[in-house]
Each structure stands twice: as C-alpha cells, then as structure tokens.
Amino acid sequence: MNIRPATDLDRDAIWEIFRATVAPGDAFVYDPNTPREEAMAYWFAEGTLTYVAEENGKVVGSYILRANRPGLGNHVSNAGFMVDPAARRLGVGQAMGEHAIEEARRLGYRAMQFNFVIATNESAVRLWQRLGFRIVGTLPGAFRHARKGLVDAYVMFRSLEEA
C-alpha cells in the first residue's frame, strides 16, 4: 500500500469515498447529502494536509491531518479518515492511522486528538485503541445515528511523544 499526499487528480476518488462513507449516516457527522463542493472544501481546507492510500494504483482511502485547535492548542493534531467500503477490513484504516501518527510526529505535534468518534462505530474505536488512543471523554447522545437514534460520541487522545 502506498500512502502519499493527495493531488487535485485524486479529488474524484476522494469524493466517491466521502459520499459512500457518509451516505449511511452511521459513522460521520457530515450530512449524507453534503454537496461535493462543500465536502472537497473541507477535505482540502487551508491548513489541512490531505493524503490518499493507494492499492494497485487505486485510491482506497484518504485522511486529513491538521492542528486540532489554533494558537496555544496547535501542538495537538487532529485527523479524519475514510476508507472505500470495498476496501474495509483490509488494513487500510490501520495503515493510514499509523502513517498519520508518524506524519504528526514528523511535523512536530506532541499529541493527537479525535474530537468525535461515534461510539457505535466499534471497529474504529477498537482500531484507535490498538494504536494507543484512550477514550478521555464521552459526549452523551451527541450523534444522530440514522438507524439507532441518539448515540454517544467519544473524545480520544494519545501522546505522540516517545515513552
């Protein structure tokens, strides 16, 4: 698997992954009807680094990396990940997660925080825990799951400093 910075040529593939990922309304806060322009403006926002994961020349995932907060909180990174549904459970998310941790370290971040991990997205929660993240907070009923109604979201955190 090759993970590299995204280019404008990747936008169509990223859009297809974005659309397929948010459509079920079960794992991301984005409205399932988010227009392409809005999605791409977010995924390629200023101050955001965008990456893609390729397998055999096909984009199978994408992630973004940026400061979680500006100013005095900009030493903590934040990231968001999406995997092509056809490539799920093949290690794409883990490879991107490991890459993001190393990239964040290389860029000088001291920690990484996920602000809104949907509690019912158990595969994501388990992955982040395997990669050293801890649940540091629970936001009760913060997500309107398309099938389950109001469910919790987690704040997850890990240090990037070597022990």
Side-chain angles (χ1 to χ4, degrees):
M1 182 173 316
N2 180 42
I3 299 175
R4 61 169 175 78
T7 70
D8 282 341
L9 297 174
D10 298 312
R11 286 178 181 255
D12 287 343
I14 292 170
W15 165 242
E16 291 305 320
I17 292 169
F18 187 100
R19 194 166 52 128
T21 301
V22 304
D26 62 357
F28 278 86
V29 297
Y30 311 109
D31 185 312
N33 297 311
T34 299
R36 178 186 170 122
E37 299 75 29
E38 186 179 322
M40 293 299 95
Y42 178 79
W43 213 249
F44 286 90
E46 186 174 333
T48 297
L49 299 171
T50 305
Y51 300 84
V52 291
E54 293 177 312
E55 188 70 54
N56 300 317
K58 181 183 184 327
V59 174
V60 293
S62 182
Y63 83 88
I64 56 176
L65 179 66
R66 63 176 157 235
N68 190 53
R69 304 298 306 155
L72 300 179
N74 70 3
H75 59 288
V76 176
S77 61
N78 176 266
F81 302 82
M82 293 191 177
V83 175
D84 183 333
R88 293 198 180 135
R89 289 179 256 313
L90 300 176
V92 177
Q94 180 161 335
M96 290 193 303
E98 291 168 351
H99 188 272
I101 289 167
E102 289 310 311
E103 276 293 282
R105 278 189 182 123
R106 184 184 68 77
L107 293 166
Y109 289 107
R110 298 178 56 126
M112 185 174 283
Q113 179 174 316
F114 302 146
N115 301 320
F116 211 86
V117 179
I118 310 309
T120 55
N121 188 354
E122 294 172 0
S123 60
V125 172
R126 281 192 308 271
L127 170 60
W128 303 135
Q129 288 174 325
R130 273 196 319 272
L131 293 179
F133 288 84
R134 292 180 301 111
I135 297 170
V136 296
T138 299
L139 309 170
F143 180 69
R144 287 189 316 269
H145 193 286
R147 292 180 316 281
K148 298 179 180 182
L150 297 178
V151 299
D152 296 349
Y154 297 137
V155 177
M156 299 185 77
F157 182 89
R158 73 156 284 165
S159 173
L160 297 178
E161 296 179 323
E162 300 297 336

